[in-house]
Amino acid sequence: MEQLMLAPAEGLTGAEAEARRRRGEANTAVQGGSRGYAEILRTNVFSFFNLILFVIGAALLVLGRYSDALISVGLGLINAVLSAAQEIRAKRKLDRLQLLDRAGVLVIRDGRETEVAPEQVVRGDVLRVRPGDQIVVDGPLLDGGRLEADESLLTGESDPVVKHPGDDLRSGSLCVAGDGHQLARDVGVHSYAGRLTAEARRATTDKTPLQRSIEFIVRLVMALAVLMSGAILAQAALEGFSVLRVVQITAVLSGLVPYGLFFLIALAYTAGAVRIARTGALVQQVNAVESMTSVDVICTDKTGTLTTGQLVLEEIVPLGDHEYGEAAGALGGMAHNATTPNLTAIAIAGSLSGPVWEVRDEVPFSSSLRWSGMVAEEGTWVLGAPDALAGRLLRPVPATEITDRTGRGLRVLLLARAEDPESGLRDAAGRPGLPVLEPVALAVLADEVRPEVAAAVARFRSDGVELKVLSGDDPRTVAAIAARAGITGDEPVMGAVLDDLDDPALDRLVARTSVFGRVAPEHKERIVRSLRRQGRYVAMVGDGVNDARALKQAQVGVAMRSGSPVTRDVADIVLVEDDFSALSPAQYEGRRIINGIGISLYVFLSRVASQGLVILSVTMLGLSFPYSPTQVGLTLFTVGIPTVFLTFWAKPTRPDPHLLRNLVRFVVPAAVVTAAFGTAIYAVFYTLVTHGFGSGRAPERIIHEFERTTGLTYGVDADFTEASATILAQTGLSTFFCFASFLLILFLAPRSRVFAAWTAPTGDKRPSWLVLGLMVAFGAVLCVPVLWQYFGLMGPSKAVFFVVMPTLVLWYLTLTVVFRLRLFDRLLGLEQPL
């Protein structure tokens, strides 16, 4: 370490830098917060649910049942591809955003300044640091240098910090004034920003309430499917089923698990991410859009989030007998003629015009002096903090003029003119010094609040979302800016107060406080943890490295595009236009997703429960198994296509707070009634064939159709009658289930009062047209030989038509009565209204 600190001021040679790079001492960038491509593919393709399907599919392939295997694993593969594609897409966009900020830096190599990429800086390099340069490594400022660093991205403190030789410059900060050389001591993952990033990476992404609900439902259905499998396979062992039949039955039972829900969620998340991307928000975690809906408190930084990070000239207050025009002209002249303008000069220059002065001497603003000055033919002018100039004023400035404005979070500077026009700004040794001054005016500046913030805050408050501001600035300033944005509350709290509080006391303070000032990164993290302990769903909005830990601790982390690459790395959502109001569309889109998936859950679970009850009923009756694996693929018509459309057509209204209870209220009666009619249809067709063939009364045309479908010969193959009975019964059952599932959509989204037994009419014609289209599509399946053979069904049959159609009418009337009279609600004790 000592040898490193004694590195020559002329820097390293190219050979020395290359040797250090090979030793792993280069400033290698911390990788993005998203996972690597291999891990993304592995976790999405080989999930627990997909592995079950893959095992069944492999068994079916070994047995030569290729179409069955395709259906068994198809949904799992589609779900995996969609989920992985969304995550890879977000990762690639994020990586491109990072590259935009990797500007070149100057290092001294072989005795001369050379511009290199930040990744090519090595430990021991000497870097030239100039105003506007971002600090990319950690290390001390070398002798002969003096500069001011903006560390707001690291600490949240917006005022520049003076750095003297020997003081550390930290990666992620910005040089705003001065010039010097820095020694690269800590690089890459060992730098401050790198360590903070690595720490933030260890956090995991929260599952949303909807994801937890669906995971619970899927696990419950899986448990029931396992119990059913055990019972049916035990029966199969007793009756001597073949291995092929056992595998097919297992495939069907596994198909009861609503894997399609994961496909649907991935699709809905992807579509939602595309929609809000148009409003300026890039989704990096696929569940972030839906998660925004559950947010009930937003914690936000001030600088860079509520404000632009720039200053605006609020007013000019002339003092004594001085005129506004005199003060405005002097301020404009100082701002426009400054050789190294700071944020204050830029703000004044943007508001005032200024003459061209012949400047004789200039003292730039610095945090140690807290004033700047200029000597020209027009006189000697000074602009600085009132207390810094007070000792040299001819007469004091009225205190109320200053305190009234600082109490509102405004920045007040005093413009003064030297009493003696020939006075300079330096002492005999050439050091900056103030002459006797005549106060001329107060220049009042304010942090520029983003124009969209106030409207966005009002929308969030109307939706019941609370906002809290966490900033490294003075609490009074933060409170004033928060008030301008529409965020009000109790007295602001200093971050130091939090250090002495235990968790219960901290929770009470955080619950009642809206503004926190002078908070460090660890304070922000503690506040977010406190809110989560209180059961709040937290979104954290920030732009600096100091916000990264709090972003990962929150359920939803939101970063500004213009902020630190580290912060964007770990965020769930990036506001690419730095527009705070883009969160509102994300919240509305999340509501659409929840409502759409909620409707889809009704359809999915009704199908799963109905099929499960039919399988149990048919098995108990001693009939053949009612489904083949290929017929499970019909859920594409009954569930897959409808739920996609219903999800996209959903309205962004407030989600149902009693989703699980209402699911029970709908699914139980729908499943019981549908399964009862389905079992009856299956039993009728199965009995018709077995008894009809046994007596020799089957029509010749039907026998010929069965021979084509089953591949067996009537009167020759002993299994012909049972196979034919199964095919006909499965065709009747599948036809009834498909049409019943289509009509079930009209109960959930009724256009008129005819189907409004479950919920009020929506007036939306699209679900009705969807049902009609699905019926036509399924009719095509029954009429096209290659399709009905693929799904293991019979072709068009009058027997099926004349049994299924009247049964559908009776089913509709029965279900309407059950829903309208709330019969199952009374039975289950769920009589509360929707």
Side-chain angles (χ1 to χ4, degrees):
M1 177 61 70
E2 292 181 357
Q3 290 180 349
L4 179 63
M5 295 300 295
L6 295 175
E10 62 270 15
L12 304 174
T13 65
E16 289 172 332
E18 178 61 23
R20 297 189 182 201
R21 186 192 65 78
R22 287 196 298 267
R23 293 202 301 265
E25 297 181 8
N27 188 41
T28 305
V30 178
Q31 296 301 311
S34 52
R35 298 177 295 176
Y37 293 112
E39 186 180 0
I40 290 173
L41 292 175
R42 179 179 58 80
T43 55
N44 282 283
V45 174
F46 298 104
S47 65
F48 173 72
F49 304 112
N50 285 347
L51 285 175
I52 296 176
L53 287 176
F54 293 161
V55 170
I56 295 173
L60 290 171
L61 283 174
V62 171
L63 296 171
R65 305 294 295 188
Y66 304 113
S67 59
D68 290 349
L70 177 63
I71 292 297
S72 295
V73 302
L75 279 178
L77 287 175
I78 293 174
N79 173 40
V81 168
L82 280 176
S83 300
Q86 164 64 15
E87 198 166 345
I88 289 173
R89 169 181 167 274
K91 174 182 173 58
R92 294 180 63 184
K93 285 194 173 184
L94 176 61
D95 291 342
R96 287 199 294 270
L97 285 174
Q98 289 175 315
L99 292 175
L100 294 176
D101 292 318
R102 304 296 289 181
V105 296
L106 288 177
V107 299
I108 299 178
R109 296 270 177 88
D110 298 316
R112 63 179 184 274
E113 291 185 354
T114 304
E115 183 172 338
V116 299
E119 295 88 350
Q120 295 175 334
V121 176
V122 299
R123 189 167 181 262
D125 258 328
V126 174
L127 290 78
R128 171 78 181 278
V129 182
R130 302 163 300 175
D133 288 348
Q134 185 183 39
I135 310 299
V136 297
V137 296
D138 292 352
L141 182 66
L142 298 177
D143 287 342
R146 183 180 179 281
L147 53 82
E148 297 177 23
D150 177 3
E151 297 185 340
S152 59
L153 289 178
L154 305 178
T155 64
E157 171 61 66
S158 59
D159 293 330
V161 179
V162 177
K163 298 291 184 179
H164 299 283
D167 291 343
D168 259 3
L169 301 178
R170 292 193 291 181
S171 54
S173 59
L174 185 72
C175 176
V176 294
D179 197 329
H181 291 87
Q182 179 198 15
L183 178 65
R185 185 190 63 226
D186 300 321
V187 299
V189 296
H190 302 291
S191 66
Y192 178 81
R195 294 194 305 271
L196 189 58
T197 302
E199 182 179 349
R201 296 296 191 277
R202 288 196 290 269
T204 57
T205 302
D206 290 283
K207 291 182 179 178
T208 67
L210 180 62
Q211 286 178 315
R212 290 196 295 269
S213 297
I214 290 178
E215 186 175 272
F216 167 76
I217 292 171
V218 169
R219 291 185 182 277
L220 178 62
V221 174
M222 284 186 66
L224 295 176
V226 168
L227 292 176
M228 291 173 59
S229 299
I232 293 175
L233 292 178
Q235 180 187 16
L238 294 175
E239 297 179 3
F241 281 9
S242 65
V243 174
L244 172 61
R245 194 60 177 157
V246 169
V247 174
Q248 287 179 317
I249 291 174
T250 304
V252 171
L253 291 174
S254 68
L256 292 179
V257 180
Y259 300 105
L261 283 177
F262 299 105
F263 160 73
L264 178 65
I265 291 175
L267 191 62
Y269 284 166
T270 302
V274 170
R275 282 195 182 110
I276 72 166
R278 302 187 189 117
T279 68
L282 170 64
V283 177
Q284 298 181 174
Q285 290 292 339
V286 293
N287 64 357
V289 180
E290 180 256 312
S291 192
M292 272 300 300
T293 303
S294 302
V295 169
D296 57 10
V297 58
I298 296 177
C299 297
T300 177
D301 189 20
K302 176 186 72 70
T303 306
T305 51
L306 295 182
T307 66
T308 62
Q310 303 296 320
L311 297 174
V312 291
L313 182 61
E314 189 79 5
E315 63 176 330
I316 299 174
V317 183
L319 299 174
D321 297 330
H322 295 283
E323 300 291 335
Y324 176 89
E326 176 190 8
L331 285 170
M334 292 187 69
H336 284 280
N337 291 280
T339 55
T340 55
N342 55 15
L343 291 177
T344 299
I346 293 172
I348 294 174
S351 302
L352 301 173
S353 59
V356 178
W357 288 352
E358 184 179 341
V359 179
R360 300 172 182 171
D361 189 18
E362 179 184 5
V363 176
F365 178 86
S366 67
S367 298
S368 56
L369 294 175
R370 299 176 64 210
W371 58 268
S372 63
M374 195 170 290
V375 179
E377 291 184 0
E378 289 75 9
T380 300
W381 295 91
V382 176
L383 180 67
D387 58 326
L389 307 185
R392 303 295 295 171
L393 295 178
L394 283 174
R395 58 180 178 273
V397 177
T400 55
E401 295 284 356
I402 298 174
T403 56
D404 288 349
R405 290 168 174 82
T406 56
R408 289 182 281 141
L410 301 173
R411 301 188 181 194
V412 180
L413 297 177
L414 174 61
L415 174 68
R417 183 176 60 191
E419 181 187 26
D420 181 2
E422 300 301 323
S423 298
L425 295 173
R426 300 182 187 274
D427 58 19
R431 294 187 297 267
L434 289 171
V436 178
L437 299 172
E438 168 73 17
V440 176
L442 296 178
V444 183
L445 297 102
D447 288 289
E448 185 180 38
V449 177
R450 293 186 182 276
E452 73 281 353
V453 164
V457 168
R459 283 195 297 271
F460 281 122
R461 292 176 71 93
S462 66
D463 286 337
V465 179
E466 185 180 356
L467 289 102
K468 297 181 182 292
V469 184
L470 320 178
S471 175
D473 280 345
D474 184 272
R476 294 178 302 170
T477 302
V478 179
I481 292 174
R484 289 167 58 193
I487 304 173
T488 57
D490 291 347
E491 287 295 316
V493 172
M494 289 278 288
V497 174
L498 309 182
D499 294 332
D500 299 325
L501 299 179
D502 57 13
D503 286 348
L506 177 66
D507 292 347
R508 292 191 294 271
L509 178 65
V510 169
R512 66 173 185 266
T513 306
S514 297
V515 176
F516 296 85
R518 299 291 187 211
V519 291
E522 55 270 20
H523 294 145
K524 295 184 179 184
E525 186 178 20
R526 282 197 70 195
I527 291 171
V528 173
R529 285 181 180 273
S530 172
L531 290 168
R532 295 194 61 165
R533 280 197 303 271
Q534 298 173 56
R536 309 297 295 274
Y537 207 91
V538 186
M540 176 69 198
V541 185
D543 69 331
V545 178
N546 63 308
D547 300 313
R549 291 164 61 178
L551 258 67
K552 291 304 295 182
Q553 190 60 229
Q555 282 97 338
V556 183
V558 183
M560 294 292 184
R561 163 66 183 84
S562 62
S564 165
V566 173
T567 312
R568 294 199 307 268
D569 246 5
V570 301
D572 301 311
I573 297 176
V574 174
L575 303 180
V576 294
E577 301 297 334
D578 289 347
D579 187 350
F580 188 74
S581 64
L583 289 178
S584 292
Q587 191 174 49
Y588 293 140
E589 191 59 40
R591 289 179 176 180
R592 186 193 305 277
I593 289 174
I594 290 180
N595 290 334
I597 294 178
I599 293 177
S600 302
L601 277 173
Y602 287 95
V603 179
F604 263 108
L605 296 182
S606 297
R607 188 268 300 177
V608 168
S610 301
Q611 287 186 325
L613 289 174
V614 167
I615 291 173
L616 286 177
S617 302
V618 169
T619 302
M620 292 175 62
L621 292 174
L623 307 178
S624 62
F625 199 74
Y627 296 103
S628 69
T630 52
Q631 289 163 7
V632 176
L634 289 172
T635 54
L636 175 67
F637 295 100
T638 60
V639 177
I641 294 176
T643 52
V644 169
F645 282 98
L646 291 174
T647 299
F648 291 161
W649 291 339
K651 297 179 179 179
T653 56
R654 292 185 181 275
D656 182 3
H658 307 293
L659 178 61
L660 291 178
R661 182 176 65 86
N662 286 331
L663 275 172
V664 173
R665 297 179 57 204
F666 180 88
V667 169
V668 171
V672 170
V673 173
T674 304
F677 281 94
T679 302
I681 287 178
Y682 190 88
V684 166
F685 282 120
Y686 189 89
T687 304
L688 175 66
V689 174
T690 53
H691 285 69
F693 284 3
S695 304
R697 294 192 297 270
E700 196 69 30
R701 185 185 64 79
I702 293 182
I703 293 177
H704 178 66
E705 191 68 40
F706 284 157
E707 288 179 336
R708 283 203 310 156
T709 303
T710 63
L712 303 175
T713 303
Y714 177 59
V716 175
D717 294 299
D719 296 331
F720 176 82
T721 300
E722 183 177 354
S724 303
T726 300
I727 288 293
L728 180 60
Q730 288 179 347
T731 300
L733 178 63
S734 296
T735 303
F736 169 76
F737 254 70
C738 285
F739 283 111
S741 297
F742 300 153
L743 294 176
L744 208 59
I745 296 172
L746 298 181
F747 280 104
L748 292 168
R751 175 187 173 187
S752 61
R753 296 183 59 83
V754 176
F755 283 89
W758 167 254
T759 188
T762 63
D764 191 349
K765 299 179 181 179
R766 292 175 297 182
S768 301
W769 288 109
L770 173 63
V771 169
L772 181 60
L774 291 171
M775 288 183 171
V776 172
F778 182 72
V781 170
L782 294 177
C783 295
V784 178
V786 67
L787 293 178
W788 56 256
Q789 288 174 6
Y790 173 80
F791 287 110
L793 303 174
M794 280 186 57
S797 171
K798 290 183 179 179
V800 171
F801 179 82
F802 285 115
V803 172
V804 169
M805 291 303 111
T807 305
L808 275 173
V809 174
L810 186 58
W811 166 86
Y812 160 73
L813 295 175
T814 303
L815 198 55
T816 299
V817 171
V818 169
F819 279 149
R820 288 191 183 278
L821 298 181
R822 300 289 189 253
L823 297 181
F824 277 80
D825 286 5
R826 299 174 183 176
L827 179 64
L828 299 174
L830 301 173
E831 293 130 297
Q832 298 179 14
L834 284 170

